């Protein structure tokens, strides 16, 4: 266990790197996902189609290849991006469809009568969605959104393979330097991931239970 | 799907929708055109860069990579489902000494990146890159499938368990013979969807050891010249993964639909909020459309 305390500075900086990626990506991907979800349920066929194709393609592409594109391939097309920008861009583009699907399932979960009532008093699509459906969907949408954020936390580790200083990279470097303490390093890195993901998971469970009781 | 959100469009709404459609079309076309111009300016679309795919040796290497992906995904999927069943049973054991440690272990496996697990299995056990990837995928997805099966069992009507115990089945017998088959059937769409995640994660084998489709692609790019041939190889690799995953995703959707149909027939759809909800708006939408025409 000494290996962790000896390198605690490195671990904490890596933890900071992971949190930065997590924060920036959530900041950009959440609004993007909301836009995709709104397009997905809109009356305009071409908006629906665009969103559907984007979501389906990105959800079925490995994150590693998305990273390969923005960190490596793009160098041969329009010039290199800074690594941090490339990482946040790749994570945002990959995560937004998952946010969109979580939001869409929340929209679908609102009882049909709510939309019918809103429609029958003459509200437009935008009013129905913005004033009636989304405020109710938010409640049931929060647990799946948290689950996407948990998945995102774990996905930030891929950035470590693309020149970003974060937890996975710290683990790899420290393990390489301390070949005799690999297990301790592994448990140390896992610990830092778990103090993000486990509380988030419990929060999601808690909210899910509360919403279930109220419905 | 959610046509209840808006009326069947009248002439004005149709016109507006057409205008918006044209605008969207233009934006999408603009983005695509920009991408194509960028690619063409960089010379990435030059014919000779793509002629490498006339060479059967290139395909041989890529298909060898794809085969490793398929092979490791099938192995890990089979093992992960088995492990998931074991996890689900242990997690619901009557004995505290079994239940509590299993919960802790499951949280541990679910809460960390699968990439981290791959790397450290590779460093800790002398089983080589391929089996490290398979082992990490098995443990990680086994934990997730285990949780899905458990929530499937919890969602079953209580009578299923009570009736089984009442006719004298032992608790484990009851779990295996009565509850597990129903939970597995109900959770099948979620499990198949998880398999898509598993297939995608095989790509991470490139980071840890030197295995898989992406590694084959990288080696080819290295050998042929990265700046010239990496992009064409990348396009082919993405397409291969996409086709594989879309096939499995389509299967997942088909299973979900079938479950929904049988679910409404037997009146008690269990499982997540998406399951029951996707059926209801369809009926409501049809009713609204019928009323307004």
């Amino acid at each position: 266990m000494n290996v962790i305390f000896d390198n605690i500075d490195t671990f904490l900086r890596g933890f900071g790197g992971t949190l930065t990626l997590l924060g920036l990506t959530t900041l950009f991907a959440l609004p993007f996902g909301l836009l995709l979800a709104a397009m997905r349920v809109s009356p305009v066929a071409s908006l629906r189609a665009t969103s559907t194709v984007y979501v389906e393609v990105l959800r079925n592409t490995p994150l590693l290849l998305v990273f390969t594109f923005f960190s490596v391939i793009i160098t041969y097309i329009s010039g290199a991006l800074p690594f941090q920008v490339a990482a946040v861009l790749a994570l945002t583009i990959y995560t937004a469809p998952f946010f969109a699907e979580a939001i869409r399932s929340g929209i679908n979960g609102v009882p049909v009568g709510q939309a019918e009532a809103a429609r029958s008093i003459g509200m437009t699509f935008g009013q129905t969605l913005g004033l009636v459906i989304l405020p109710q969907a938010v409640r049931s949408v929060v647990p799946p959104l948290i689950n996407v954020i948990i998945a995102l936390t774990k996905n930030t580790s891929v950035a470590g393979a693309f020149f970003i200083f974060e937890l996975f990279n710290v683990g790899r470097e420290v393990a390489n330097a301390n070949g005799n303490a690999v297990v301790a390093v592994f448990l140390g890195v896992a610990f830092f991931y778990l103090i993000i993901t486990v509380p988030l998971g419990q929060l999601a469970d808690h909210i899910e239970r509360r919403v279930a009781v109220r419905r | 799907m959610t046509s209840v959100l808006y009326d069947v469009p009248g002439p004005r709404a149709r016109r507006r929708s057409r205008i918006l459609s044209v605008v969207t079309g233009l934006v999408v076309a603009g983005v695509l055109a920009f991408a194509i111009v960028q690619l063409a300016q960089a010379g990435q679309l030059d014919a000779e860069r793509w002629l490498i795919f006339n060479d059967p040796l290139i395909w041989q290497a890529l298909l060898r990579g794809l085969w490793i992906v398929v092979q490791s995904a099938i192995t890990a999927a089979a093992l992960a489902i088995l492990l998931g069943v074991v996890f689900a049973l242990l997690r619901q054991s009557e004995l505290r000494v079994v239940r509590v440690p299993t919960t802790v272990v499951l949280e541990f496996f679910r809460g960390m990146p699968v990439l981290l697990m791959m790397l450290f299995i590779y460093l800790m056990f002398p089983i080589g890159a391929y089996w490290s990837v398979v082992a990490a995928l098995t443990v990680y997805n086994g934990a997730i499938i285990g949780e899905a099966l458990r929530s499937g069992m919890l969602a079953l009507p209580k009578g299923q368990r009570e009736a089984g115990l009442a006719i004298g089945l032992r608790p484990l017998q009851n779990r295996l013979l009565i509850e597990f088959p129903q939970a597995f059937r109900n959770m099948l769409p979620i499990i198949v969807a998880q398999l898509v995640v598993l297939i995608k994660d095989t790509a991470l084998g490139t980071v840890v050891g030197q295995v898989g489709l992406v590694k084959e692609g990288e080696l080819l790019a290295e050998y042929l010249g990265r700046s010239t041939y990496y992009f064409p190889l990348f396009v082919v690799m993405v397409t291969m993964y996409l086709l594989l995953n879309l096939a499995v995703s389509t299967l997942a959707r088909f299973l979900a639909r079938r479950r929904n149909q049988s679910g409404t027939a037997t009146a008690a759809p269990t499982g997540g909020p998406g399951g029951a909800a996707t059926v209801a708006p369809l009926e409501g939408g049809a009713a609204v459309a019928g009323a307004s025409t």
Side-chain angles (χ1 to χ4, degrees):
Chain A
M1 278 297 153
N2 276 335
V3 64
I4 295 172
F5 296 112
D6 290 346
N7 294 293
I8 193 74
D9 282 354
T10 324
F11 273 96
L12 285 177
R13 272 195 302 135
F15 187 54
T18 295
L19 283 179
T20 310
L21 281 177
L22 179 62
L24 285 176
T25 307
T26 308
L27 189 69
F28 294 124
L30 202 51
F32 188 15
L34 184 62
L35 177 71
L36 285 171
M39 283 167 72
R40 194 83 192 261
V41 298
S42 84
V44 183
S46 67
L47 288 178
R48 271 202 308 269
T50 310
S51 171
T52 307
V53 169
Y54 178 82
V55 167
E56 283 304 311
V57 168
L58 264 292
R59 281 210 311 167
N60 287 297
T61 305
L63 176 60
L64 185 88
L65 287 174
V66 181
F67 261 100
T68 306
F69 184 81
F70 286 105
S71 296
V72 183
I73 307 271
I74 205 161
T75 317
Y76 309 123
I77 297 174
S78 60
L81 293 171
F83 291 137
Q84 187 78 23
V85 174
V88 172
L89 201 57
L91 282 170
T92 300
I93 280 182
Y94 179 81
T95 308
F98 291 93
F99 278 133
E101 287 297 280
I103 295 168
R104 191 172 69 108
S105 75
I107 292 175
N108 283 338
V110 175
V112 183
Q114 297 291 323
E116 285 173 347
R119 293 290 315 136
S120 65
I121 59 168
M123 286 185 165
T124 63
F125 170 71
Q127 286 171 322
T128 309
L129 197 61
L131 298 176
V132 178
I133 304 295
L134 281 180
Q136 298 187 63
V138 163
R139 255 191 333 172
S140 54
V141 124
V142 169
L145 281 185
I146 294 177
N147 285 331
V148 175
I149 293 178
I150 292 174
L152 169 63
T153 309
K154 295 186 264 181
N155 283 336
T156 55
S157 64
V158 181
F162 291 88
F163 326 109
I164 300 291
F165 191 81
E166 50 69 71
L167 275 174
F168 172 74
N169 224 345
V170 166
R172 192 159 58 169
E173 277 170 22
V174 177
N176 278 338
N178 301 276
N180 53 349
V182 172
V183 177
V185 176
F186 169 60
L187 292 176
V189 178
F191 169 78
F192 279 106
Y193 277 111
L194 290 169
I195 59 174
I196 308 178
T197 55
V198 170
L200 279 176
Q202 266 160 6
L203 180 66
D205 284 350
H206 176 73
I207 295 175
E208 195 159 15
R209 261 198 306 276
R210 256 189 39 192
V211 172
V213 169
R214 287 172 76 175
R215 272 277 151 81
Chain B
M1 182 174 299
T2 41
S3 53
V4 70
L5 291 175
Y6 43 87
D7 269 327
V8 170
R12 259 207 311 202
R14 269 207 301 271
R15 182 149 30 97
R16 208 169 338 132
S17 152
R18 246 196 318 269
I19 293 171
L20 257 174
S21 275
V22 171
V23 172
T24 319
L26 285 178
V27 170
V28 171
V31 170
L32 285 179
F34 174 76
I36 288 172
V37 167
Q38 287 278 313
L39 287 171
Q41 271 175 359
Q44 296 291 357
L45 300 178
D46 298 352
E48 74 262 27
R49 297 196 181 205
W50 296 80
L51 287 178
I52 48 167
F53 295 115
N54 282 336
D55 187 345
L57 283 175
I58 301 281
W59 284 108
Q60 216 171 28
L62 287 174
L63 289 175
R64 191 172 55 225
L66 185 64
W67 176 236
I68 293 174
V69 167
V70 172
Q71 214 178 9
S72 56
I74 290 176
T75 316
L79 293 174
I81 289 173
L82 278 179
L83 190 65
V85 175
V86 174
F87 276 148
L89 291 175
L90 291 180
R91 177 85 159 76
Q92 301 201 89
S93 164
E94 310 269 289
L95 303 169
R96 256 185 98 81
V97 280
V98 177
R99 197 172 57 227
V100 174
T102 312
T103 311
V104 173
V105 167
L106 276 178
E107 286 293 324
F108 181 69
F109 287 152
R110 284 199 309 158
M112 80 171 85
V114 68
L115 179 60
L116 186 72
M117 216 186 287
M118 278 181 196
L119 177 71
F120 280 88
I121 289 178
Y122 182 61
L123 292 177
M124 285 190 274
F125 303 99
I127 52 175
Y130 176 81
W131 287 105
S132 302
V133 170
V134 172
L137 289 174
T138 300
V139 172
Y140 178 78
N141 292 289
I144 289 176
I145 291 173
E147 282 297 287
L149 286 174
R150 185 182 72 99
S151 65
M153 287 191 194
L154 285 179
L156 290 176
K158 240 182 14 207
Q160 297 290 329
R161 181 166 178 75
E162 291 167 351
L165 294 177
I167 60 167
L169 291 177
R170 269 171 287 132
L172 182 64
Q173 263 182 324
N174 194 55
R175 291 249 189 260
L176 284 174
L177 298 175
I178 310 289
E179 293 174 65
F180 170 69
Q182 299 182 60
F184 190 79
R185 222 182 73 108
N186 284 339
M187 289 293 137
L188 199 54
I190 294 181
I191 293 173
V192 178
Q194 188 59 32
L195 296 186
V196 173
V197 176
L198 191 154
I199 296 174
K200 289 197 294 183
D201 284 345
T202 58
L204 298 174
T206 308
V207 178
V208 174
Q210 310 287 313
V211 285
L213 175 60
V214 181
K215 193 70 222 168
E216 296 289 341
E218 273 179 14
L219 286 176
L220 282 175
E222 208 68 62
Y223 176 68
L224 297 166
R226 281 163 76 95
S227 60
T228 318
Y229 293 110
Y230 209 164
F231 179 70
L233 288 165
F234 172 80
V235 171
V236 172
M237 286 192 288
V238 169
T239 312
M240 282 177 163
Y241 261 111
L242 266 182
L243 292 179
L244 192 59
N245 285 328
L246 281 174
V248 179
S249 299
T250 312
L251 178 68
R253 206 161 306 145
F254 169 74
L255 290 171
R257 209 170 31 233
R258 218 184 50 174
R259 190 179 72 87
N260 271 340
Q261 279 161 3
S262 62
T264 43
T266 54
T270 49
T278 41
V279 179
L282 260 181
E283 288 159 359
V288 168
S292 52
T293 40

